[in-house]
Amino acid sequence: MENFSNYFGKNLQFLRKEKKLRQHQMLDCLGFSRTTWSNYEQCRTAPSLDGLIKIAKFFGVSLDELIAQDIEQKFKGKKHKAYAYNETVVMAEEPNMALDYIRSRLERLENEIDIIRSSQESSPF
């Protein structure tokens, strides 16, 4: 995958960190597994064209920026303002993605509540 891009993996890491997300959170946001996202960041594998488009839309960058430019240098000293707007646009354009995200967050919260309840029930205090 070294030929894929000199910048792709570095850009993914930069954009994810700018958005203050961890790799495992990309599963919730874009539907990629943690392993898959890690492989993208390490340039071991590359997403399909649809995956690239989804990533570019989510982060508010062009495909050219994502693949062929050093985004960190481009935005050095500046905050990329397009994030919240573009995230909203992606969710509006792809309502199933927004619903899937909300469902996954609710499931995680329900699981956490169940864990807390079960620990409280088994606690002697």
Side-chain angles (χ1 to χ4, degrees), residues 4-5 9 27 34 39 41 46 48 53 60 67-68 77 83 95 102 109 112 116:
F4 179 67
S5 169
L27 171 64
R34 184 177 182 175
N39 286 336
E41 284 191 6
S48 66
I53 292 169
I67 296 169
Y83 294 150
I102 292 168
L109 287 172
E112 289 175 15
I116 291 168

Side-chain angles (χ1 to χ4, degrees), residues 92-108:
E93 288 176 346
E94 300 178 33
N96 288 336
M97 185 177 142
L99 291 174
D100 291 343
Y101 174 77
I102 292 168
R103 268 190 217 107
S104 71
R105 298 298 297 166
L106 285 173
E107 287 172 6
R108 288 178 100 186

Side-chain angles (χ1 to χ4, degrees), residues 52-69:
L52 285 170
I53 292 169
K54 189 184 281 190
I55 292 167
K57 280 184 175 182
F58 180 79
F59 288 116
V61 296
S62 70
L63 287 174
D64 183 55
E65 288 173 317
L66 185 62
I67 296 169
Q69 296 179 24

Side-chain angles (χ1 to χ4, degrees), residues 1-120:
M1 285 309 336
E2 277 184 45
N3 319 12
F4 179 67
S5 169
N6 294 331
Y7 301 112
F8 179 67
K10 181 181 177 189
N11 287 341
L12 288 182
Q13 288 178 30
F14 172 76
L15 291 168
R16 176 180 55 78
K17 288 176 182 177
E18 278 291 301
K19 210 162 173 55
K20 296 180 175 46
L21 294 170
R22 296 177 185 256
Q23 285 184 348
H24 72 273
Q25 292 171 306
M26 298 315 297
L27 171 64
D28 293 336
C29 296
L30 293 169
F32 299 115
S33 73
R34 184 177 182 175
T35 303
T36 299
W37 188 265
S38 178
N39 286 336
Y40 292 165
E41 284 191 6
Q42 300 303 315
C43 286
R44 290 185 198 122
T45 60
S48 66
L49 181 57
D50 289 339
L52 285 170
I53 292 169
K54 189 184 281 190
I55 292 167
K57 280 184 175 182
F58 180 79
F59 288 116
V61 296
S62 70
L63 287 174
D64 183 55
E65 288 173 317
L66 185 62
I67 296 169
Q69 296 179 24
D70 187 346
I71 292 175
E72 186 173 6
Q73 287 300 317
K74 183 176 181 177
F75 294 113
K76 196 169 196 166
K78 298 181 235 172
K79 191 77 171 168
H80 187 184
K81 304 279 187 203
Y83 294 150
Y85 169 78
N86 282 310
E87 186 173 334
T88 304
V89 168
V90 168
M91 289 190 174
E93 288 176 346
E94 300 178 33
N96 288 336
M97 185 177 142
L99 291 174
D100 291 343
Y101 174 77
I102 292 168
R103 268 190 217 107
S104 71
R105 298 298 297 166
L106 285 173
E107 287 172 6
R108 288 178 100 186
L109 287 172
E110 287 172 346
N111 289 337
E112 289 175 15
I113 289 169
D114 289 342
I115 291 168
I116 291 168
R117 281 185 181 150
S118 67
S119 67
Q120 287 175 342

